[in-house]
């Protein structure tokens, strides 16, 4: 595949993930009340939640503003890195993995940037509606990320004789996530499985290059 084709493919992946992710989120946001659960199967549900954290609802030290700004810088860095790797004619699959990660991160940053400006936050069991620009529930950079995919694959109760966790209800894979999170996860997993050797070689090359540069500066 030519470099031009790789640029087109990377851009197409980026835009496709963004569009699909936002269509799903907006439909959930304007069609379900917060906390509503629609059971699709015994192991898959749509469960509408919002969070200030990273993928799968995890939190990051530093607060909402720090997280949002960190995301913006990270996306810019990943996009620059993808451009550099395409220029150096890296494998197509490798570029696809990086594009999935970048597009997933961008999908969640859209929520943070704009959802607070364009949606209201009605009390339970109200359903959110679009608002005039700037009259939503929050300020710019302070929107909440919409999550909805819930896969409680296995559920069980701990035995009564178990110390500390006696009788506790347990769920295998309880995180709730969105399409953007899935794109990030697929990109990272594929990188680790298919391009682990390449990543290791790249790290060694970067370290060697930095050491050589440092020696030159010290001479």
């Amino acid at each position: 595949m030519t470099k031009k084709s790789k640029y087109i493919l990377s851009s197409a992946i980026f835009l496709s993930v963004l569009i699909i992710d936002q269509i799903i989120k907006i439909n959930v946001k304007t069609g379900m009340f917060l906390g509503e659960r629609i059971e699709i199967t015994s192991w898959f549900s749509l469960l509408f939640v919002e969070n200030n954290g990273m993928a799968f609802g995890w939190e990051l030290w530093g607060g909402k503003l720090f997280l949002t700004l960190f995301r913006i810088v990270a996306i810019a860095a990943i996009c620059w890195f993808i451009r550099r790797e395409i220029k150096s004619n890296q494998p197509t699959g490798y570029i696809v993995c990086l594009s999935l990660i970048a597009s997933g991160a961008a999908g969640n940053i859209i929520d943070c940037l704009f959802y607070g400006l364009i949606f209201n936050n009605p009390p339970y069991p109200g359903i959110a509606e679009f608002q005039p620009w700037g009259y939503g529930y929050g300020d710019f950079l302070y929107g909440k990320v919409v999550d909805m995919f819930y896969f409680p694959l296995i559920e069980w109760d701990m035995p009564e004789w178990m110390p500390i966790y006696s009788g506790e209800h347990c769920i295998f894979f309880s995180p709730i996530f969105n399409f953007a999170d899935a794109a990030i996860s697929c990109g990272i997993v594929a990188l680790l499985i298919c391009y682990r050797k390449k990543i290791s070689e790249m790290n060694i090359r970067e370290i060697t290059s930095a050491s050589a540069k440092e020696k030159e500066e010290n001479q």
Side-chain angles (χ1 to χ4, degrees):
M1 183 176 282
T2 64
K3 293 181 182 179
K4 182 178 179 180
S5 298
K6 289 178 182 178
Y7 277 118
I8 294 173
L9 176 61
S10 179
S11 300
I13 291 172
F14 193 91
L15 291 175
S16 297
V17 171
L18 280 185
I19 292 170
I20 294 171
D21 180 60
Q22 288 303 310
I23 289 175
I24 294 172
K25 287 175 176 175
I26 290 173
N27 275 279
V28 168
K29 182 79 175 171
T30 58
M32 299 174 64
F33 59 82
L34 190 63
E36 182 178 359
R37 178 175 178 176
I38 300 175
E39 191 168 299
I40 309 299
T41 69
S42 60
W43 49 268
F44 170 51
S45 299
L46 293 178
L47 176 57
F48 175 26
V49 299
E50 293 181 313
N51 71 80
N52 292 320
M54 301 183 72
F56 302 105
W58 295 331
E59 295 293 332
L60 180 70
W61 174 86
K64 177 66 178 179
L65 180 59
F66 175 81
L67 175 58
T68 303
L69 295 176
F70 173 81
R71 278 176 169 159
I72 294 172
V73 173
I75 293 167
I78 295 172
C79 290
W80 171 86
F81 184 73
I82 292 173
R83 184 171 179 270
R84 192 190 76 167
E85 295 299 275
I86 292 176
K87 277 188 171 182
S88 61
N89 204 26
Q90 297 299 327
T92 302
Y94 177 65
I95 300 301
V96 168
C97 294
L98 295 176
S99 300
L100 285 171
I101 295 170
S103 58
N108 284 331
I109 201 65
I110 289 176
D111 300 28
C112 297
L113 294 177
F114 304 118
Y115 276 25
L117 298 173
I118 63 174
F119 287 113
N120 64 348
N121 189 24
Y124 175 86
I127 295 176
E129 297 177 343
F130 281 104
Q131 301 296 305
W133 184 268
Y135 287 87
Y137 65 80
D139 298 322
F140 180 63
L141 299 176
Y142 284 89
K144 294 182 179 180
V145 177
V146 174
D147 291 328
M148 74 294 295
F149 297 136
Y150 181 47
F151 287 85
L153 300 177
I154 303 174
E155 299 187 43
W156 72 96
D157 293 319
M158 298 297 286
E160 296 295 334
W161 51 264
M162 179 73 69
I164 302 177
Y165 301 105
S166 174
E168 184 173 331
H169 184 70
C170 301
I171 301 175
F172 175 73
F173 201 75
S174 59
I176 304 166
F177 59 98
N178 56 45
F179 190 79
D181 296 334
I184 295 171
S185 300
C186 289
I188 292 174
V189 171
L191 273 180
L192 295 176
I193 293 175
C194 302
Y195 299 99
R196 181 173 55 187
K197 184 177 179 181
K198 179 176 182 58
I199 294 171
S200 299
E201 290 174 351
M202 183 176 61
N203 289 336
I204 293 172
R205 188 169 64 249
E206 294 289 343
I207 293 171
T208 303
S209 176
S211 298
K213 185 177 180 181
E214 184 178 353
K215 286 181 180 179
E216 289 178 1
E217 292 175 350
N218 292 333
Q219 286 178 350

